[in-house]
Structure formats: structure tokens, C-alpha cells
Amino acid sequence: MLAAAQRLRRSTDFAAAVRGGRRAGRSTVVVHLLIDEPAQASTARAGFVVSKSVGNAVTRNKVRRRLRHLVRPRLADLPDGTLLVVRALPASASASFETLGTDLDGALAAARSPRRRR
């Protein structure tokens, strides 16, 4: 379980991360990462979006619990004030725990890396 201070609760926080943050996706998850200015130096916070396309309620809750468990140690590596939204894709329902972890790490690394010029 994430501590209350580490959870995104308001829809405005979710919207800010999705609209203003960097997006990176893998086969099972899409990550929206917004690194905020240090002036609002609160701890890094995370939120999860698991839609009905992932599966029934039991499957969605299982995926959400797995993602929460995977994100908890990774929040410590993010700078203070960071907003992270993890959106589960339908493939996450049948993915193993290791696959979810690998995809989450890859998506976070891609979202944190500087953009390449075209």
C-alpha cells in the first residue's frame, strides 16, 4: 500500500500529469511523468488508471495491487514534487509480475530521458 502522502487523489493532479507530463509506453503500461518545480517540494506521488478494458473487477484490482507494489520502491528514486500516473493496458491482465516490472522500469527510464531532436 502507498502512504496517503504518496497517492494522487484529485482529478486535477491526474490531469496535470497526463496533459503536462512526459509519456512513455510499453506493451503492458503507459507512464505519464511530470517532474514539478522544487518550489512545491512535496514527496513524489503516484496514481493508477486501470480501465474496464483490462478485465473484470477482480482482474483490475489484481493489476492495480501489482502496480502499486512495483511503484512503491521506485517513487524514492524520483525527485520531490513528481507526479506519476501509470495506466494499465489490456495486456497487463495476463502479464507476469516480472513482465510488469520490466515494462514499468523501461517506461520510467524512457520518460525520464531527455528528448531527442528530430
Side-chain angles (χ1 to χ4, degrees), residues 2-14:
L2 289 174
Q6 294 177 323
R7 285 185 291 210
L8 287 181
R9 293 174 181 246
R10 298 182 309 174
S11 62
T12 55
D13 293 337
F14 276 90

Side-chain angles (χ1 to χ4, degrees), residues 14-37:
F14 276 90
V18 170
R19 289 186 183 135
R22 304 267 321 268
R23 183 183 69 200
R26 295 294 180 262
S27 62
T28 58
V29 294
V30 175
V31 168
H32 299 272
L33 185 68
L34 178 64
I35 299 176
D36 217 1
E37 295 298 319

Side-chain angles (χ1 to χ4, degrees), residues 26-32 47-55 59-65 67 85-93 100 104:
R26 295 294 180 262
S27 62
T28 58
V29 294
V30 175
V31 168
H32 299 272
F48 304 92
V49 178
V50 184
S51 71
K52 285 187 178 182
S53 66
V54 173
T59 305
R60 292 193 310 267
N61 285 327
K62 178 178 148 184
V63 169
R64 191 177 297 113
R65 282 192 310 269
L67 289 173
V85 173
V86 180
R87 183 167 47 97
L89 298 176
S92 63
L100 281 174
L104 182 63

